[in-house]
Structure formats: C-alpha cells, structure tokens
Amino acid sequence: QVQLVESGGGSVQAGGSLRLSCVASGYTYGRDCMGWFRQAPGKEREGVAAINLLRTYYADSVKGRFTISQDNAKNTVYLQMNSLKPEDAAMYYCAAKLFCLGYYNPYDPAAYNYWGQGTQVTVSS
C-alpha cells in the first residue's frame, strides 16, 4: 500500500523558512516523479515544485526561494522554503507519479497517482 506522509509545516513570519518532508512507503522509491503542491482556501491546487531523475521544476512564484530535493536512501523528498511570503500560506501536499516514463506535466495534479494528507503552512506578515 503506497503511503506518502508529509511533515514540517507550521507558522512562521514573513521572511522565515520551513523545510517540508515527505516520506514514501509501500513501493520501491527512487525511479518516480515527485511533486509538491499547495492549496489555499478557495483556490485551486497548484504545482509548486517537482523532481524526477532528469531535473527539477519550479513554479515562477517560488523560483529562487524554494528548493526540492530527495534522499533515496530515506525514501524522502524535501521542500526547503526560504523567504516565505504571506501568499505562500496554504496546505502543502506531496504527490507521487509511479513508473514515471515519458512526457508529463509536472505541475498538473492529474499527472500524479498518490497523495499525502497535507501539512499546513501559515505565514504571518
């Protein structure tokens, strides 16, 4: 049974940092596409960052501030978030696209097979 469990969310002031973690289990981790998404109240879920064997991807709104990385030995993908802004506040979700072959849109929620339960990020001004 595939499971993704996020952690690391919390409340910070604008300009602060948080590191989100997503631990994957239930499958052989390492050859998949992983993504971080966020959803604020009343808004659609949006892709924030993604990673696969070839490259990383970042939404324009977070480029230069967020960094996605993974540790295959720990079955974990991270999202380091620096210089946080109030508009970054949202529920953050980890997602996995297993057996990731061929073209896909890393920012499209529909491209991913599995999701975590989310971790809340609050940023005060």
Side-chain angles (χ1 to χ4, degrees):
Q1 180 180 355
V2 176
Q3 281 194 318
L4 302 174
V5 179
E6 303 99 331
S7 61
S11 296
V12 296
Q13 289 191 328
S17 298
L18 285 172
R19 188 175 82 154
L20 306 183
S21 300
C22 171
V23 179
S25 63
Y27 69 100
T28 303
Y29 182 83
R31 297 185 176 183
D32 313 292
C33 301
M34 304 297 293
W36 284 100
F37 291 76
R38 67 187 180 189
Q39 188 167 19
K43 295 188 176 181
E44 292 187 353
R45 189 168 296 191
E46 63 169 338
V48 173
I51 188 168
N52 58 35
L53 289 176
L54 299 178
R55 57 172 291 186
T56 55
Y57 305 82
Y58 297 97
D60 288 343
S61 59
V62 306
K63 204 168 291 183
R65 300 188 298 121
F66 290 12
T67 302
I68 189 171
S69 61
Q70 61 185 17
D71 184 337
N72 290 344
K74 296 182 178 180
N75 290 1
T76 301
V77 61
Y78 303 99
L79 185 67
Q80 178 67 45
M81 306 187 296
N82 298 329
S83 302
L84 282 161
K85 305 175 181 180
E87 52 264 41
D88 294 318
M91 185 71 81
Y92 281 71
Y93 298 91
C94 172
K97 175 179 171 59
L98 305 190
F99 310 112
C100 190
L101 299 173
Y103 172 80
Y104 76 110
N105 181 347
Y107 306 111
D108 182 2
Y112 294 83
N113 309 110
Y114 297 94
W115 293 84
Q117 81 290 347
T119 186
Q120 184 70 45
V121 171
T122 303
V123 184
S124 57
S125 57

